[in-house]
């Protein structure tokens, strides 16, 4: 019985990150920038890699900043491939040096916690806007997902997604043709995409992701560290982005979402790998089914991922004098992005230490 409950939790938790995966994937495929088969095969390969490498439910999700540039028409298919491959190469170079770990470990926990909370607030704001499109649909989904607070490893996310698929009305399958190859290549567009995404990846998908994994899986996340996360993200993008795969990373919010809905072992990423491989075989038909999932339901899934990310253990364990630093970092991250949040946090932390030194008290967290 206990084993059955574990498997049920892992299967449900496997679908916990759909709130961040679906909006970007559906939009990119619907616009014809990318083709469904390579995109879903890429996610299948990514989840298979994390299952084998980390043996934990480490998320594989679209790169958000780069995804936003794609969806606003800022990148063509070839430019997306170049941007993804370049980010992958940079991540592999950074992973090859221990300085990445040194820099990450040098960041005060107050700043990492603030970044985590700020990213959670960003996801929460996105979730609210999505749920506002239909509260009559969003509220029952929220109530069902809320049962995860009573039975954390129940099949709540799976139940919500399955119900949404059954109740939704699939659209006509899209043209199965792969987007035509384009020869236009703007180095400026590629550079813009890389510069928009790289700081977010390093902070959210490397530094904060490692912190979240160790917080959620104490004693079991020894395989998860900054260099490995950078290396696996780098390898996936360098190898697969040129093949038409959507650029991917290991977002901290996705890790929190998988955990929130019951994922605890490598079963969850293996399930996602299988589902994504099956979706790849369906080609354009799968877009019609995914597009049938109401936006408010996707928002409800995203809302619980946001809460899990915001309310981390470090937030409640923080010293009182560190909480203003956390609040400043989170607030600036919400309104200005992760890079500005990091800068604001470093300034706030320096001021905190200066004030404490004047009082003659210890500066540690």
């Amino acid at each position: 019985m206990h084993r059955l409950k574990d498997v049920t939790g892992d299967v449900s938790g496997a679908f916990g990150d759909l709130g961040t995966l679906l909006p970007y994937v559906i939009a990119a495929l619907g616009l014809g920038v990318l083709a469904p088969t390579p995109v879903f095969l890429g996610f299948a390969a990514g989840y298979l890699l994390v299952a084998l490498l980390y043996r934990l439910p480490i998320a594989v999700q679209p790169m958000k900043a780069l995804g936003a540039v794609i969806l606003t028409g800022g990148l063509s298919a070839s430019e997306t491939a170049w941007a993804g491959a370049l980010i992958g190469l940079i991540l592999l170079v950074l992973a090859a040096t221990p300085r990445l770990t040194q820099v990450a470990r040098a960041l005060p926990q107050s700043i990492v916690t603030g970044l985590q909370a700020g990213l959670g607030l960003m996801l929460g704001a996105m979730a609210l806007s999505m749920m506002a499109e239909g509260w009559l649909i969003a509220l029952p989904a929220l109530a069902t997902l809320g049962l995860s607070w009573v039975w954390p490893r129940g099949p709540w996310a799976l139940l919500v997604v399955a119900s949404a698929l059954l109740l939704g009305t699939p659209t006509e399958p899209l043209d199965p043709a792969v987007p035509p190859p384009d020869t236009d290549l703007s180095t400026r567009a590629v550079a813009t995409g890389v510069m928009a995404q790289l700081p977010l990846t390093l902070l959210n998908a490397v530094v904060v992701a490692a912190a979240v994994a160790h917080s959620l899986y104490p004693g079991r996340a020894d395989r998860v560290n900054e260099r490995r996360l950078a290396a696996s993200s780098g390898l996936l993008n360098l190898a697969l982005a040129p093949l038409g795969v959507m650029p991917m990373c290991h977002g901290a919010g996705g890790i929190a979402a998988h955990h929130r809905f019951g994922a605890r072992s490598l079963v969850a990423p293996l399930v996602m790998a299988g589902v994504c491989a099956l979706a790849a075989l369906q080609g354009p038909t799968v877009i019609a089914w995914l597009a049938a999932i109401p936006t408010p339901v996707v928002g409800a899934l995203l809302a619980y991922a946001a809460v899990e990310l915001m309310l981390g253990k470090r937030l409640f364990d923080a010293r009182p004098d560190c909480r203003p630093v956390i609040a400043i970092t989170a607030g600036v991250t919400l309104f200005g992005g992760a890079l500005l949040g990091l800068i604001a946090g470093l300034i706030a932390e320096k001021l905190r230490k200066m004030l404490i030194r004047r009082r003659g008290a210890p500066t540690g967290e």
Side-chain angles (χ1 to χ4, degrees):
M1 185 69 180
H2 179 71
R3 182 61 180 168
L4 178 62
K5 185 172 73 171
D6 289 346
V7 173
T8 302
D10 275 309
V11 172
S12 178
F15 298 94
D17 193 33
L18 291 185
T20 50
L21 189 148
L22 288 182
Y24 292 96
V25 169
I26 291 174
L29 298 181
L31 290 171
V33 179
L34 300 172
T37 298
V39 166
F40 283 107
L41 281 177
F43 283 109
Y47 270 108
L48 181 60
L49 177 65
V50 300
L52 298 175
L53 181 61
Y54 299 114
R55 302 185 180 276
L56 287 173
I58 302 300
V60 179
Q61 53 185 210
M63 288 187 170
K64 300 178 185 64
L66 199 57
V69 177
I70 295 170
L71 303 188
T72 55
L75 289 174
S76 65
S78 61
E79 288 164 348
T80 299
W82 273 99
L86 274 175
I87 292 174
L89 179 61
I90 294 169
L91 289 174
L92 282 174
V93 170
L94 291 173
T97 170
R99 295 191 69 84
L100 177 63
T101 302
Q102 292 169 5
V103 171
R105 300 289 166 83
L107 280 178
Q109 287 299 319
S110 57
I111 296 177
V112 175
T113 303
L115 288 169
Q116 182 177 331
L119 291 166
L121 289 170
M122 290 174 68
L123 291 181
M126 186 186 298
L128 284 174
S129 67
M130 295 171 76
M131 290 188 293
E133 295 186 21
W135 287 106
L136 290 178
I137 301 174
L139 290 176
L142 284 173
T144 303
L145 295 172
L147 294 172
S148 64
W149 297 100
V150 180
W151 181 13
R153 304 204 66 186
W156 314 123
L158 178 60
L159 181 61
V160 167
V161 172
S163 299
L165 285 171
L166 290 173
L167 296 175
T169 304
T171 58
E172 287 296 319
L174 299 183
D175 186 348
V178 174
D182 53 90
T183 55
D184 295 334
L185 182 63
S186 166
T187 54
R188 181 179 178 183
V190 172
T192 299
V194 172
M195 292 305 295
Q197 181 61 53
L198 192 58
L200 181 60
T201 296
L202 289 173
L203 293 172
N204 178 40
V206 175
V207 176
V208 180
V212 170
H214 283 268
S215 175
L216 295 177
Y217 305 101
R220 295 177 54 210
D222 54 302
R223 291 170 173 261
V224 185
N225 58 51
E226 294 83 4
R227 291 177 69 185
R228 280 197 174 194
L229 289 170
S232 55
S233 292
L235 178 63
L236 286 171
N237 287 292
L238 183 60
L240 300 179
L243 303 178
V245 170
M246 195 165 195
M248 301 173 286
C249 64
H250 306 303
I255 298 172
H258 285 308
H259 185 275
R260 168 72 270 158
F261 296 110
R264 297 294 185 274
S265 75
L266 58 77
V267 172
L270 286 176
V271 168
M272 275 301 292
V275 169
C276 289
L278 183 61
L281 294 176
Q282 300 303 311
T285 305
V286 75
I287 309 174
W289 282 101
L290 292 178
I293 299 177
T295 299
V297 173
V298 179
L301 286 164
L302 190 59
Y304 274 89
V307 170
E308 184 79 6
L309 192 57
M310 280 187 288
L311 304 181
K313 184 175 182 293
R314 289 181 174 85
L315 182 65
F316 297 101
D317 292 343
R319 287 172 36 158
D321 59 288
C322 291
R323 287 173 184 162
V325 177
I326 295 172
I328 291 170
T329 306
V332 175
T333 299
L334 172 62
F335 294 106
L339 182 57
L340 288 179
L342 172 63
I343 294 170
L346 289 170
I347 295 171
E349 177 65 14
K350 188 171 183 178
L351 290 174
R352 181 190 77 86
K353 289 185 176 180
M354 286 174 59
L355 289 173
I356 289 180
R357 284 195 187 97
R358 287 183 180 180
R359 297 173 188 166
T363 60
E365 293 182 63

